[in-house]
Amino acid sequence: MVPPHRTVLAAGDNLHHAPPLADFARAPHRTAASDARDDHDDDDDGTPARGSAADHAAFRTVTLALHDDDPAQDFRVAGLLATTPTGRTVTIYAGSSLNTERQAVDGVRDAMLIGLPALLVVVAAVTWLVTRRALRPVEGIRAELAEIMGGDLSRRVPQPASRDEVARLAQTTNATLAALEKSVERQRQFVADASHELRSPIASLRTQLEVARAHPHLLELDGLIEDTVRLERVASDLLLLARLDAGERPRAERLDLAELVRDELAHRSGDRLPVTADLPDEPLPVSASHTQLARVLGNLLDNAQRHAASVVRVAVHRGAAGTVTLDVADDGPGVPPADRERVFTRFIRLDDARTRDEGGAGLGLAIVRDVIHRHGGRIEVGEADGGGARFTVTLPGATHPDAHAPAAP
C-alpha cells in the first residue's frame, strides 16, 4: 500500500473501499484510435488480452476510507483493466486524495482573509503619503495664486527645483502672471492717458460754454467747433484701439492701393501744404479693409502735414516678393533713430510736438501700426531723400482677382 495521498489497489483485494469503487473501469473510455487496434488484442467483452492492459483508464471522484478507523476522504481515482499472463482479469486503481488541494486552497484563503486587510491599509497609507508629498508643491502654487489674484499681480508662485511637470506648471503660471500683469498695467496706463486726453477738450468746452452763458457776446463758435472735433477724434481713436485690442478682424476686400490713395487725396481739404503723389498706372491690388486702410493713409498724411516744412510726398509701388509698398515722406526735421520705435507708442509725442495743438493726442501712429499688423504687413520709419521722415508701409499683395484673404490677427 502506498501513502494515503496516492493509493494503488487491485480489484481482488478485500478492502473497505472496494464497494464504492465498484467496477467502473469495466467500460473504460475508448477512442477511435483504440477502436482501430486489431481485434485480437482484446476480447469481445472489452477484456484485455493476456499479459496486457487496457489502452485507457476511467476516472471518477469517490469518497473512501482506507481503514476502518480512518475518516472518509475524497479521492480522484483512475481505474485500469489488465489481464495477467495466467488469464486472471484485474482492475488496478490509483487514487490521489483531494484533501491536500483543499488544504492548500483553505490555507491561501485564510492567509488572504487575514493579511489582505492589513496589506490594503499599508498600501492606502503609502499611497496617501506619496500623493501628499507629490502634490504639496501644487497646493503651494494654488494657495499663492489665490492670494495673487486677490491683489498684487507682481508676486509669483513658488517654483520647485525639480524638473518635473509641477515645475513646468509653476513656470507656465509665472509666465501667465507676468503677461497678465503687463496687460493690466498697459490697460491702466491706457485708461489714465485716455482720461487725460479727453479731459482737456471737455474742460475747454465747459469753460467756453460757461463764458458764453455769462457773456453771450464773447461766444467763439470756432473754438467750440474745434474742441468738439478734437473730442470726437480722440473718442473715435480710442474706440478703434479698443476694438483692435479685443482682436476684431477687419473685413477684407480686394482693392487697388493706388486708386485708394487717389480717392483720399481728392477728398482731403484744409491741408497746410500741397501733397505730391507718385502713383503707377497699373493696379496694385491688396486684400484689406477699405475703411481702415484709408484711416492709415489719413493718419500718415496728418502726421506729415504737422511736421513738414514745404512739401509732403506720397508714393505707391510694387515691392519685393509680391508685396505693395506705400511711402509717405515729408521734409521736416525727421525722426531720430532712437525714437523710431518709440514714436508708435500710444499717447507718445516727441519733444517738438508736445503741445495740444501741434502734437495731437499721440494715437495716430499707434493706430497705423496696429492696423497694419492686423493686415499682416509692417511699417518702418526712415529718412526721406533730402531730409525729413519717411514712413514705409508694406502690405501683402492680392495675387488672384478673386482673392479675399482675411486680415492677419
Side-chain angles (χ1 to χ4, degrees):
M1 193 73 65
V2 298
H5 67 277
R6 184 169 301 275
T7 307
V8 180
L9 302 171
D13 293 336
N14 186 15
L15 296 174
H16 181 68
H17 69 275
L21 290 176
D23 200 16
F24 66 86
R26 286 292 178 181
H29 176 70
R30 302 183 63 84
T31 63
S34 62
D35 292 341
R37 296 174 59 89
D38 295 335
D39 293 335
H40 69 275
D41 288 343
D42 295 334
D43 295 338
D44 293 338
D45 59 355
T47 302
R50 292 186 177 188
S52 63
D55 293 337
H56 299 280
F59 293 87
R60 185 175 298 176
T61 300
V62 296
T63 303
L64 301 174
L66 297 181
H67 302 283
D68 294 338
D69 55 350
D70 290 341
Q73 301 180 22
D74 289 336
F75 283 81
R76 184 64 175 171
V77 179
L80 181 66
L81 289 177
T83 302
T84 64
T86 61
R88 181 186 178 188
T89 300
V90 297
T91 303
I92 302 173
Y93 297 101
S96 178
S97 175
L98 297 179
N99 285 349
T100 303
E101 175 187 355
R102 292 176 180 176
Q103 290 175 0
V105 173
D106 293 343
V108 172
R109 181 192 61 194
D110 295 341
M112 292 182 64
L113 291 177
I114 297 174
L116 186 58
L119 180 61
L120 291 177
V121 171
V122 173
V123 171
V126 172
T127 303
W128 181 78
L129 291 175
V130 172
T131 304
R132 182 180 181 184
R133 179 184 179 90
L135 296 181
R136 188 177 302 163
V138 178
E139 175 60 23
I141 293 174
R142 186 208 62 79
E144 185 68 19
L145 188 60
E147 295 183 7
I148 290 174
M149 298 308 295
D152 188 7
L153 291 178
S154 62
R155 297 170 57 179
R156 298 293 180 265
V157 300
Q159 185 170 339
S162 59
R163 298 182 179 179
D164 54 5
E165 290 78 3
V166 177
R168 289 193 291 271
L169 173 63
Q171 183 178 4
T172 304
T173 302
N174 286 334
T176 304
L177 289 173
L180 182 60
E181 180 186 12
K182 184 178 179 181
S183 176
V184 170
E185 183 61 28
R186 183 180 179 183
Q187 189 70 21
R188 289 176 179 172
Q189 187 64 36
F190 178 80
V191 173
D193 292 337
S195 301
H196 176 74
E197 293 297 333
L198 291 173
R199 182 171 54 188
S200 297
I202 292 175
S204 178
L205 281 173
R206 178 179 179 180
T207 300
Q208 295 184 60
L209 291 174
E210 289 177 349
V211 171
R213 183 179 63 180
H215 307 282
H217 61 282
L218 297 179
L219 177 63
E220 296 183 3
L221 291 178
D222 293 340
L224 288 175
I225 293 175
E226 181 180 351
D227 286 337
T228 302
V229 171
R230 173 177 170 78
L231 182 61
E232 180 184 6
R233 288 178 178 175
V234 172
S236 178
D237 290 344
L238 291 175
L239 178 60
L240 178 57
L241 286 173
R243 292 165 61 182
L244 292 175
D245 288 341
E248 177 179 314
R249 297 192 178 191
R251 185 178 182 85
E253 57 182 307
R254 181 184 171 86
L255 54 89
D256 183 4
L257 183 58
E259 187 64 26
L260 183 145
V261 173
R262 290 191 186 94
D263 293 342
E264 291 299 317
L265 292 179
H267 290 87
R268 285 183 66 86
S269 61
D271 284 341
R272 184 174 61 89
L273 298 172
V275 178
T276 301
D278 181 12
L279 305 176
D281 295 332
E282 62 172 342
L284 296 177
V286 294
S287 181
S289 168
H290 186 282
T291 302
Q292 293 191 7
L293 207 56
R295 183 69 172 272
V296 167
L297 177 61
N299 287 358
L300 291 177
L301 290 175
D302 291 342
N303 181 76
Q305 289 284 344
R306 189 177 297 116
H307 298 90
S310 59
V311 67
V312 175
R313 295 182 294 273
V314 179
V316 178
H317 55 88
R318 189 177 300 277
T323 59
V324 179
T325 300
L326 168 67
D327 287 332
V328 178
D330 61 70
D331 58 350
V335 181
D339 295 327
R340 288 177 180 175
E341 181 63 27
R342 178 172 167 265
V343 74
F344 294 106
T345 306
R346 299 176 183 182
F347 300 105
I348 289 295
R349 294 188 288 264
L350 301 184
D351 293 337
D352 61 346
R354 285 290 185 181
T355 64
R356 178 172 62 92
D357 295 332
E358 296 296 332
L363 293 176
L365 294 180
I367 291 176
V368 169
R369 183 181 63 175
D370 288 354
V371 170
I372 294 302
H373 286 176
R374 290 286 177 181
H375 285 81
R378 66 179 185 276
I379 182 170
E380 300 172 343
V381 185
E383 184 177 353
D385 297 337
R390 180 178 68 243
F391 289 81
T392 302
V393 175
T394 303
L395 292 170
T399 57
H400 194 275
D402 296 329
H404 294 282

